[in-house]
Amino acid sequence: MDMEVEASSLSNTTTHSITSFKRFGIKNSIQTNFGDDYVFQIDSSPENSTLAVSLSTNAIKFYSAVTGQYIGECKGHSAPINQISFSCPSSPHVLQSCSSDGTLRAWDTRTFNQVSSLIAGSHQEVFSFSFGGSSNNLLAAGCKSEVLIWDWRNGKQVACLEESHMDDVTQVHFSPGHRNKLISASVDGLMCTFDTEGNINDDDHLESVMNVGTSIGKIGFCGEMNDKIWCLTHIETLSIWDWKDSRNEVNFQDARTLASDSWTLGHVDYFVDCHYSGADDRLWVIGGTNAGSLGYFPVDHKGIGSPEAVLEGGHVGIVRTVLPMSCLNGGRATNQSIFGWTGGEDGRLCCWLSDESTEVNRSWISNALVMKSPKTTKKNRHHPY
């Protein structure tokens, strides 16, 4: 159950880079009592001591990031949870979640109680959210063909952007370097840029539209000034855009083929996510196989290279989420030996640890191979057609 990094790709990297470690492995195992649950997403508290895990049972469970010990859980959503994040500006102890039940909820992770709730609408679904605004007072949510915006301090809805998209808004992100700029992405294949200053509306605040041409699954920022966007689609294509100029810089229609041809672990069946390291301005696309292997494939304007890291042996099914330690707090981890965590449809939550660590027993994995019941609820994935 090792993760290997090719020695030839370790030059000119920083201590916080993904390629800092030569070898990673799973050294111990515990029972994480997921039963038939799928793991949808993992997020870590700001101090990296607690893991929040959203599951297919519409619950959020919490574990110690060091030992894997179960801490508690939050229940309240009545439909699949589409995103969780410790990004709430009000408190580092608050976890925010959104769901297809049409709500955004905030949870106090010390008491596991719900502390607030926003309702997008009785027939709405909330697929994504982001905190931002010039005063960091806005909460934007991607819903069914709409972007809703609240002032999270008083719970008042301040905008409904309903004319820019024609289908589900799968992603919303405020720009890290320009907090008043909001980027949305949709199943309709469009990415839109909004200025959120003043009285926000479609007519006056829609600044640009980028046409990807197919249903968009995930986007994220990259580039030294966060002036680029990487974009993964539901048909597994990858593109990079300059969002300020609304310009497509590179488009890999055959991204899976390029990744598959660069390793020996079989065909890359899907992409989980992308990871950008600001420390050395590098981007990786994380590809996986249906058997549970993962690879970190470097991406630049010339193409998709051979994997610089491979995680093999931890999962036996599709991996839904990857949380690299280097993406937390600028890579300043409390335990530098931990590479990160992964979770997936096999009901496993895996922690990957450097072989260079002297505390190898602090890495863990759920040890149950789960047989899925036909009644197990899976979160619906968007389909472009």
Side-chain angles (χ1 to χ4, degrees), residues 334-365:
T334 55
N335 185 342
Q336 293 291 342
S337 63
I338 292 180
F339 170 77
W341 297 269
T342 56
E345 294 185 6
D346 54 6
R348 287 184 167 191
L349 182 63
C350 301
C351 177
W352 302 86
L353 185 74
S354 169
D355 272 4
E356 298 173 357
S357 171
T358 59
E359 302 182 28
V360 294
N361 63 335
R362 296 179 67 179
S363 183
W364 47 267
I365 178 179

Side-chain angles (χ1 to χ4, degrees), residues 37 44 60 71 92 107 114 131 149 192 217 228 281 329 344 371:
D37 305 355
S44 176
I60 304 169
I71 300 173
W107 313 87
Q114 179 179 304
F131 287 95
I149 303 176
C192 298
K228 315 293 184 186
D281 188 26
N329 297 328
M371 296 297 294

Side-chain angles (χ1 to χ4, degrees), residues 114-132:
Q114 179 179 304
V115 293
S116 68
S117 177
L118 295 173
I119 301 176
S122 58
H123 300 290
Q124 273 286 14
E125 296 184 59
V126 186
F127 302 108
S128 177
F129 64 86
S130 180
F131 287 95

Side-chain angles (χ1 to χ4, degrees), residues 177-249:
H178 306 81
R179 298 300 290 167
N180 63 314
K181 304 297 184 182
L182 176 68
I183 314 293
S184 62
S186 170
V187 172
D188 62 15
L190 302 180
M191 294 189 294
C192 298
T193 304
F194 299 94
D195 186 341
T196 59
E197 292 284 1
N199 296 319
I200 310 165
N201 59 74
D202 288 277
D203 293 333
D204 300 326
H205 290 75
L206 174 63
E207 293 190 333
S208 65
V209 177
M210 294 162 278
N211 189 358
V212 178
T214 189
S215 176
I216 301 170
K218 287 186 177 181
I219 64 171
F221 291 95
C222 59
E224 293 182 343
M225 304 299 293
N226 292 305
D227 54 348
K228 315 293 184 186
I229 292 177
W230 57 260
C231 174
L232 285 172
T233 72
H234 288 120
I235 58 172
E236 314 299 347
T237 65
L238 170 65
S239 57
I240 299 175
W241 299 71
D242 185 319
W243 65 266
K244 292 184 178 180
D245 295 335
S246 304
R247 176 171 49 88
N248 178 228
E249 295 193 342

Side-chain angles (χ1 to χ4, degrees), residues 232 236-238 252-260 268 271 304:
L232 285 172
E236 314 299 347
T237 65
L238 170 65
F252 299 110
Q253 293 286 342
D254 56 348
R256 278 190 299 178
T257 299
L258 293 173
S260 299
V268 173
F271 292 121
I304 298 175

